[in-house]
Amino acid sequence: MQMDIVVLVTSSFVFAFQITPLVVIVATAIRSIVLLTGRRRAFVTWTRNSLLSAISIIFAPGMMINTGVRYGICSLFGIDMDGIGANSTYAELNLFLRVERPPRVWVLVTALFLSTVLSVFIGFVLIVLPMVIIIGAPLVLVCWYVAVCVLFNTSIRGGDVTLLGAALKGHPGKGILELVVTLSIIVFLYIALSGVLL
């Protein structure tokens, strides 16, 4: 039984790695579409986008898990952070990274990618594991709900792009090279791991 769980966890991580780009694209597309429905400037109510705020509240467990994962990975990689905070613009919980002291480009890209893969892995395990260990239906539904919350929150945020831009400006020349090399390694690993389950 323990060996089965180890095999399940390993194959789940490989699968999570494979589907991470698709999950990020879908989650980002949905988030972007919802963002377009909001107000750009004036605050008429407590939020700029009532729909996105409602979705954020509904999917709050995933937001907390994703933020916690990102905090842990960024801490591990030594990225400067101002901490975790909430904002009322879209009723979100965010990890505030210091744009004025950006990390090296390869560190940032690696940390963001690993935290994203780990979030997708957690979401996928929450879908599969309850069926494997055969737990009761109510708990399965809770696990699936949290899994959907996690996967929905696995999107590219504006702060990620801003920080990457700051990291590229802070390390001119080398930053572009680091970005190309890091992305090339990620693509190579993706192709290599995709062949594992094919």
Side-chain angles (χ1 to χ4, degrees):
M1 182 65 176
Q2 286 183 343
M3 185 59 90
D4 291 341
I5 292 177
V6 170
V7 171
L8 173 68
V9 169
T10 304
S11 59
S12 294
F13 184 80
V14 172
F15 184 71
F17 190 94
Q18 291 175 327
I19 66 170
T20 291
L22 179 62
V23 171
V24 170
I25 289 169
V26 171
T28 303
I30 293 171
R31 179 181 165 78
S32 299
I33 290 168
V34 176
L35 269 172
L36 291 174
T37 67
R39 302 178 187 88
R40 296 191 177 202
R41 296 180 186 170
F43 284 84
V44 177
T45 60
W46 65 278
T47 177
R48 284 184 186 173
N49 191 318
S50 299
L51 178 59
L52 184 58
S53 296
I55 291 172
S56 297
I57 292 167
I58 292 168
F59 294 137
M63 189 183 350
M64 289 187 280
I65 291 171
N66 280 1
T67 304
V69 168
R70 183 169 283 200
Y71 183 86
I73 295 293
C74 288
S75 296
L76 189 66
F77 276 75
I79 296 175
D80 287 331
M81 296 176 285
D82 284 329
I84 298 173
N87 68 62
S88 61
T89 306
Y90 304 116
E92 291 180 324
L93 187 68
N94 287 308
L95 178 62
F96 294 100
L97 305 175
R98 292 183 182 170
V99 177
E100 66 275 7
R101 284 170 47 184
R104 297 292 298 262
V105 174
W106 75 267
V107 172
L108 176 63
V109 173
T110 303
L112 292 178
F113 182 73
L114 286 178
S115 63
T116 303
V117 171
L118 191 54
S119 291
V120 174
F121 170 70
I122 290 169
F124 185 68
V125 166
L126 285 171
I127 292 172
V128 175
L129 196 58
M131 293 184 292
V132 173
I133 60 177
I134 312 174
I135 58 177
L139 191 53
V140 169
L141 292 175
V142 170
C143 288
W144 287 358
Y145 162 66
V146 175
V148 171
C149 291
V150 171
L151 296 176
F152 177 79
N153 280 282
T154 311
S155 63
I156 296 173
R157 303 296 174 102
D160 300 338
V161 177
T162 301
L163 190 59
L164 178 59
L168 287 169
K169 283 182 182 177
H171 305 93
K174 287 184 179 180
I176 295 290
L177 180 62
E178 288 178 12
L179 180 63
V180 170
V181 170
T182 306
L183 291 178
S184 298
I185 292 170
I186 289 171
V187 170
F188 174 77
L189 288 173
Y190 179 77
I191 294 170
L193 286 176
S194 292
V196 171
L197 295 181
L198 293 179

